[in-house]
Amino acid sequence: MDCKEFEMNIYLYPELSEKERNQVDAHLHTCQHCSTLFQEVKHAQQLIQQAAEKKPTPLHAARLTGSIMSKIIQPAKPTWVERIDQLLLSQRSKYLLSISSSLLILAFFFQSFEDSLQTTGAKNESMVKSVILNAKLFRDNFSHHKAKRALFADCRSPFQSNQYYLNCVKSKLK
């Protein structure tokens, strides 16, 4: 074997089998160039191993760790839904809501009692102030207005003048 073939084995020396290592060792005793290359590769591999074993420590590591831990320990801010839920489920708010609903029920009771007194008094009065709804009259009046709008709808045009509209309406009413 020549030196070119041994150079590849020098780079892979830790991964070689026992037989291949013995061949490389025998060549290293006879070749000065390969021996020097072997020493350089071995030194480079040691430096890489040392660098791999070292753990990097950032600048101000204690402050960084403290900052991270404070964020982890600090509870998350509640959302507005959670705040409303906490407010409504608190003991104080339950009492306040029950008292206010009781007061509202009493107010509605007294208001309905006053209204019933007024309606019994109003029944005794004459029906002068009352309004009688005539459904037929209402329906006829409504349909007349509806027909009137439909009648004038075909006269309205954004492309025509006001005079055209007036003439159209007059012709429809005749």
Side-chain angles (χ1 to χ4, degrees), residues 106-162:
L106 285 173
F108 287 132
F109 173 74
F110 286 124
Q111 183 67 34
S112 65
F113 183 70
E114 285 180 12
D115 289 345
S116 67
L117 289 177
Q118 288 176 357
T119 55
T120 56
K123 286 181 182 176
N124 296 336
E125 294 178 12
S126 66
M127 296 191 60
V128 173
K129 294 182 182 179
S130 63
V131 175
I132 299 173
L133 292 177
N134 187 342
K136 183 179 182 323
L137 181 64
F138 177 76
R139 188 173 52 244
D140 291 344
N141 192 13
F142 181 75
S143 64
H144 174 68
H145 284 297
K146 190 174 178 183
K148 196 175 188 182
R149 280 184 296 212
L151 181 71
F152 299 134
D154 57 349
C155 291
R156 185 58 89 179
S157 172
F159 304 110
Q160 301 296 334
S161 65
N162 285 339

Side-chain angles (χ1 to χ4, degrees), residues 93-112:
S93 64
K94 288 179 183 179
Y95 287 128
L96 288 174
L97 287 173
S98 64
I99 290 170
S100 61
S101 61
S102 300
L103 289 175
L104 283 172
I105 289 171
L106 285 173
F108 287 132
F109 173 74
F110 286 124
Q111 183 67 34
S112 65

Side-chain angles (χ1 to χ4, degrees), residues 18-77:
E18 189 67 33
K19 181 182 174 188
E20 292 172 329
R21 281 188 191 170
N22 290 335
Q23 289 176 351
V24 171
D25 287 339
H27 179 73
L28 291 176
H29 289 300
T30 60
C31 180
Q32 182 63 32
H33 172 71
C34 290
S35 177
T36 308
L37 179 65
F38 180 74
Q39 293 300 324
E40 289 174 0
V41 169
K42 188 175 177 181
H43 181 69
Q45 287 175 345
Q46 287 174 349
L47 290 175
I48 291 171
Q49 184 67 26
Q50 288 173 359
E53 290 173 358
K54 257 189 180 177
K55 292 183 180 177
T57 55
L59 197 62
H60 311 295
R63 186 171 31 158
L64 178 64
T65 304
S67 174
I68 292 171
M69 292 307 290
S70 70
K71 297 294 182 190
I72 291 172
I73 295 171
Q74 187 178 27
K77 293 182 180 178

Side-chain angles (χ1 to χ4, degrees), residues 78-90:
T79 62
W80 63 273
V81 174
E82 291 170 344
R83 288 180 186 167
I84 291 173
D85 192 37
Q86 289 173 354
L87 178 69
L88 291 177
L89 294 178
S90 70

